[in-house]
Amino acid sequence: MITFDKVTKVYPDGTRAVDGLSLDLPTGKITVFVGPSGCGKTTSLRMINRMIEPTSGTIGIDGRPTSSLDPVTLRRGIGYVIQSGGLFAHRTVLENIATVPLLLGWGKAKAYGAARELIERMGLDASLTSKYPAQLSGGQQQRVGVARALAADPPVMLMDEPFSAVDPQVREQLQDEFLRLQAELGKTIVFVTHDIDEATKLGDQVAVLRVGGTLAQLAPPADLLADPVDDFVADFIGRDRGYRALAFVAAPALPIQPEATVELGATREQVAAVAAGAPWVLVVEDGAPVGWVAPERLGATVGRDDLHRGGTVARVGGSLRAALDAALSSPSRRGVLADDDGRLVGTVSATDVLTEIERDETGPPS
Amino acid sequence: MTWFLDHLALVGSLLLVHAWLAVVPLLLGLIIAIPLGWLAERNRVLRPILVVGTGLLYTIPSLALFILMPLVLGTGILDPLNVIIALTVYTVALLVRTVVDGLSAVPETVRQAAIAMGIGGARRFFTVELPLAVPVISSGLRVAAVSNVSIVSIAALLGIAQLGSLFTDGFARDFLDPIVVGIVACLVLSVVLDALIIGVTRVLTPWVAARSAA
């Protein structure tokens, strides 16, 4: 566990970056520091590995104050991922990842072995091993950055806006991979972001900081969305809180209806027969839903260009938010549900999802 | 051309001396400029003093510097050491700013990442910051190399033999051949030094070629 005890940082020019911050960051969990710029989130992060020294107060790791530890030894035992990777442009991917193991004196064979293992684990192609960072895409660089931080298998990882420099689609992918990895590794992670959606998606607990470096609220994401402690937190979390909170509620057994489908490539006549007058028919390919078609706007057969792709697909057993969104985004108003392998299970209406939400007697999650 | 062929041995030996007088200060200047640049890059107060101060050294006329050297160093007027030290001064003048620029171009995130991994002071400088500054320093070194080759020839006025002697000789005898040969030899020397620096830089920075190929 990492503990902040009345930690304050005042810069020589009088700027109070962090002010009396006290909180616990449990072992094996992700704690996210989130807040507007100037809230001291990065300063707080960097005080953990003593890149910045607190003016007063104590930070402890497993009960030992970091001030009692040698900064270099401390840092080599803490993984650090920085925005846009901070990779060494003059070193190959393998050398970058092996940096800390080599510094720790593991020897080349063991250090590079560990680095190769991580390249695989991060889903990076083995052919990238001897490439230089400039030859990688933004997403690949970020994965190498995470791999480098993990290389010496540190129990603690500090991540400073690690995914903010990549485009939204890649960011989401990186976030999902990160959560999968964390489920395997169980590191104690401190994650800094200015993006509240990222914070609620990734955090086991979220610490919202205000400008001036004080803690506004520390809570699990669902509680934060359901019960913001004051106007500042409510404003910072933003709109659609009720809807977003549904992301943290697993969907109960929904009344899933069977859906008549046509295969991709079916003829106009086949579609008309299945539709039986309905305005939209679901198209599947090898059992996986691929989109909806409107029978009257169809050519001779169902091609990919005919598909309406606005509808999202929810996973059975996923969140209520995903199920509701599938229904709301579907042109037929029937939300498509698939199993873990992506095969169609059936559809559910928004009304049925809402009924489930209302039936949940606990009210909004708290 | 006949003059050149007749004096092949002379031109060859002058060329070697010329190269020696240009290259040794280049290396000495680099060795001095790196710590000065390092100091200037990290110290806000020293930075303008060092960068502007060393830069001003370049404005001292070379002839004056060559003549001043014996007075300062107590060397003989014909001592090649005068040339070597004067040109080292010029090289430092050109390179301090370049080293500062090269080190400043190292992205802050890279520096922070290095600190966060426990890569301290000297190790960080030699394994991260300096290697990343090599391309910029190398371009400054190429300018200094050409500058040195050209300035060395002025030492002929003091009677220190090198390719510049061909200019004074040709001028004194109103004879064009040695002057042309001298110019061509200087050009060849500059091109060879330039190619050498480019070559060494390529070997030191395989990542730059990888970047431009990507």
Side-chain angles (χ1 to χ4, degrees):
Chain A
M1 183 156 75
I2 303 172
T3 47
F4 278 66
D5 185 20
K6 301 190 203 75
V7 174
T8 294
K9 176 67 191 180
V10 183
Y11 284 104
D13 66 356
T15 314
R16 201 165 269 269
V18 177
D19 196 1
L21 192 62
S22 292
L23 74 162
D24 292 341
L25 296 77
T27 302
K29 300 289 180 194
I30 303 174
T31 300
V32 181
F33 287 156
V34 68
S37 57
C39 73
K41 51 191 189 292
T42 296
T43 305
S44 301
L45 184 83
R46 291 186 175 179
M47 284 194 287
I48 297 172
N49 68 352
R50 296 184 62 188
M51 288 171 75
I52 297 174
E53 297 287 352
T55 310
S56 66
T58 324
I59 297 174
I61 298 181
D62 296 332
R64 297 175 68 186
T66 52
S67 54
S68 69
L69 305 167
D70 168 56
V72 169
T73 316
L74 174 73
R75 286 174 196 153
R76 288 185 190 162
I78 296 179
Y80 191 91
V81 187
I82 201 167
Q83 188 177 350
S84 72
L87 298 180
F88 299 143
H90 61 302
R91 296 202 184 148
T92 62
V93 166
L94 191 71
E95 290 164 346
N96 262 286
I97 298 175
T99 304
V100 177
L102 287 173
L103 287 170
L104 291 172
W106 286 17
K108 280 198 173 172
K110 192 177 165 204
Y112 289 151
R116 285 209 171 80
E117 230 165 77
L118 273 165
I119 287 172
E120 198 182 319
R121 180 158 226 169
M122 294 304 300
L124 290 162
D125 198 284
S127 68
L128 297 178
T129 306
S130 55
K131 294 256 195 280
Y132 289 98
Q135 295 168 289
L136 310 183
S137 70
Q140 289 169 333
Q141 290 187 20
Q142 216 42 257
R143 286 186 185 92
V144 174
V146 174
R148 184 172 67 172
L150 284 169
D153 199 22
V156 176
M157 293 260 286
L158 309 181
M159 308 183 77
D160 189 0
E161 307 221 12
F163 307 140
S164 62
V166 291
D167 62 68
Q169 208 185 340
V170 177
R171 187 182 314 150
E172 212 176 304
Q173 213 178 329
L174 287 170
Q175 290 168 343
D176 293 341
E177 284 171 17
F178 168 66
L179 285 174
R180 210 162 33 236
L181 201 66
Q182 167 65 358
E184 292 171 27
L185 300 176
K187 303 283 184 194
T188 305
I189 293 173
V190 192
F191 193 107
V192 162
T193 179
H194 60 267
D195 176 356
I196 185 69
D197 288 320
E198 185 168 68
T200 53
K201 177 176 178 180
L202 301 182
D204 291 308
Q205 59 170 2
V206 177
V208 183
L209 304 176
R210 322 172 194 275
V211 175
T214 54
L215 182 64
Q217 186 167 5
L218 175 69
D223 295 2
L224 193 69
L225 289 163
D227 193 12
V229 75
D230 59 15
D231 286 348
F232 167 77
V233 177
D235 279 352
F236 188 75
I237 297 170
R239 292 166 177 274
D240 311 325
R241 294 194 285 275
Y243 178 61
R244 281 152 58 195
L246 292 176
F248 303 99
V249 185
L254 293 163
I256 300 171
Q257 304 297 321
E259 183 72 34
T261 60
V262 293
E263 278 289 325
L264 193 67
T267 64
R268 187 188 167 89
E269 288 69 31
Q270 286 171 317
V271 175
V274 170
W280 292 96
V281 175
L282 185 63
V283 181
V284 293
E285 185 181 21
D286 302 330
V290 288
W292 296 86
V293 285
E296 76 253 27
R297 273 183 260 153
L298 215 49
T301 59
V302 179
R304 285 187 194 279
D305 293 344
D306 300 317
L307 297 175
H308 179 288
R309 295 179 182 274
T312 56
V313 177
R315 203 167 46 79
V316 174
S319 70
L320 275 174
R321 175 178 171 165
L324 185 59
D325 189 70
L328 294 177
S329 64
S330 162
S332 70
R333 296 288 173 255
R334 297 192 296 279
V336 179
L337 294 170
D339 62 18
D340 288 344
D341 299 323
R343 300 177 71 84
L344 178 70
V345 176
T347 55
V348 66
S349 72
T351 313
D352 287 340
V353 180
L354 286 172
T355 305
E356 286 304 325
I357 293 170
E358 284 174 357
R359 188 179 295 168
D360 183 7
E361 286 164 8
T362 54
S366 58
Chain B
M1 198 66 188
T2 27
W3 185 89
F4 172 58
L5 292 176
D6 291 345
H7 297 80
L8 210 54
L10 171 73
V11 174
S13 70
L14 290 178
L15 181 68
L16 280 181
V17 176
H18 200 108
W20 172 256
L21 290 176
V23 170
V24 170
L26 195 65
L27 298 177
L28 289 176
L30 179 64
I31 289 167
I32 296 168
I34 287 173
L36 287 180
W38 170 79
L39 204 62
E41 206 271 328
R42 28 178 33 210
N43 191 311
R44 250 180 246 175
V45 181
L46 286 178
R47 185 173 183 152
I49 299 171
L50 280 169
V51 170
V52 176
T54 53
L56 279 176
L57 291 174
Y58 198 74
T59 62
I60 305 171
S62 47
L63 191 55
L65 197 57
F66 288 147
I67 294 168
L68 271 175
M69 277 298 145
L71 300 178
V72 178
L73 302 170
T75 43
I77 189 82
L78 284 179
D79 196 329
L81 202 60
N82 300 330
V83 180
I84 287 188
I85 291 175
L87 283 178
T88 302
V89 170
Y90 286 133
T91 307
V92 169
L94 286 174
L95 285 186
V96 168
R97 182 183 289 271
T98 310
V99 172
V100 173
D101 287 348
L103 293 175
S104 308
V106 175
E108 192 50 34
T109 52
V110 171
R111 212 179 296 253
Q112 293 294 342
I115 294 171
M117 284 188 283
I119 305 178
R123 189 198 287 267
R124 186 165 71 247
F125 179 73
F126 286 109
T127 65
V128 178
E129 292 165 1
L130 192 58
L132 286 172
V134 164
V136 177
I137 295 174
S138 158
S139 63
L141 205 60
R142 289 171 63 190
V143 174
V146 173
S147 154
N148 279 4
V149 168
S150 130
I151 294 175
V152 167
S153 51
I154 294 173
L157 294 176
L158 306 178
I160 296 169
Q162 26 68 28
L163 290 174
S165 313
L166 298 178
F167 304 151
T168 47
D169 174 47
F171 193 67
R173 293 195 284 143
D174 203 9
F175 179 39
L176 205 59
D177 285 12
I179 298 180
V180 172
V181 169
I183 291 174
V184 172
C186 279
L187 270 173
V188 169
L189 181 58
S190 295
V191 169
V192 168
L193 283 182
D194 201 47
L196 213 60
I197 296 171
I198 293 175
V200 171
T201 306
R202 268 208 199 135
V203 173
L204 287 178
T205 61
W207 49 281
V208 173
R211 181 172 56 192
S212 43

